[in-house]
Amino acid sequence: MILRIVKMEFREECIEAFQEFFNTRKAHILNFEGCKHVELWQDINNAAQFFTYSHWEDEEALNAYRNSAFFKDTWTQTKAMFQSKAMAWSVKSN
């Protein structure tokens, strides 16, 4: 199992748009082969900061998702709303 967290900070005027965008994409991400769980967390101390938290069956599943046209389109649209560069962490879990 791969656990992945991505930290993103958005421009203030994009916060609501990002939340709506994520909600329209979440079901498709969950239906992606190898995705076991995905959720969005908003930092209670910084309304512009979000984290996605996901579980993937294995590294192959995560990489297949990250190389998909869907991910590329989603990431391109998400990055357009960023205030600063995103950070990501992946951990293997048993």
Side-chain angles (χ1 to χ4, degrees):
M1 178 83 60
I2 302 293
L3 308 178
R4 184 157 177 88
I5 295 177
V6 179
K7 175 186 170 187
M8 301 165 287
E9 188 165 348
F10 294 90
R11 295 188 316 275
E12 190 172 323
E13 69 273 13
C14 297
I15 294 170
E16 189 175 319
F18 168 69
Q19 290 172 304
E20 290 174 15
F21 181 70
F22 180 84
N23 288 332
T24 66
R25 300 269 170 149
K26 181 179 178 178
H28 187 78
I29 296 167
L30 283 167
N31 286 324
F32 210 92
E33 188 174 340
C35 182
K36 303 298 182 189
H37 180 83
V38 67
E39 61 186 274
L40 180 67
W41 300 335
Q42 186 176 24
D43 188 326
I44 61 171
N45 296 307
N46 179 353
Q49 189 166 277
F50 290 83
F51 298 83
T52 56
Y53 176 64
S54 58
H55 297 183
W56 295 87
E57 193 171 291
D58 53 30
E59 210 167 328
E60 186 177 320
L62 175 58
N63 288 337
Y65 170 69
R66 293 182 67 221
N67 290 321
S68 72
F70 175 81
F71 174 81
K72 290 175 184 167
D73 177 62
T74 299
W75 192 243
T76 298
Q77 291 187 56
T78 301
K79 284 192 323 184
M81 295 183 259
F82 283 176
Q83 179 168 312
S84 58
K85 187 176 179 179
M87 297 175 67
W89 298 268
S90 296
V91 177
K92 283 187 180 182
S93 173
N94 294 333

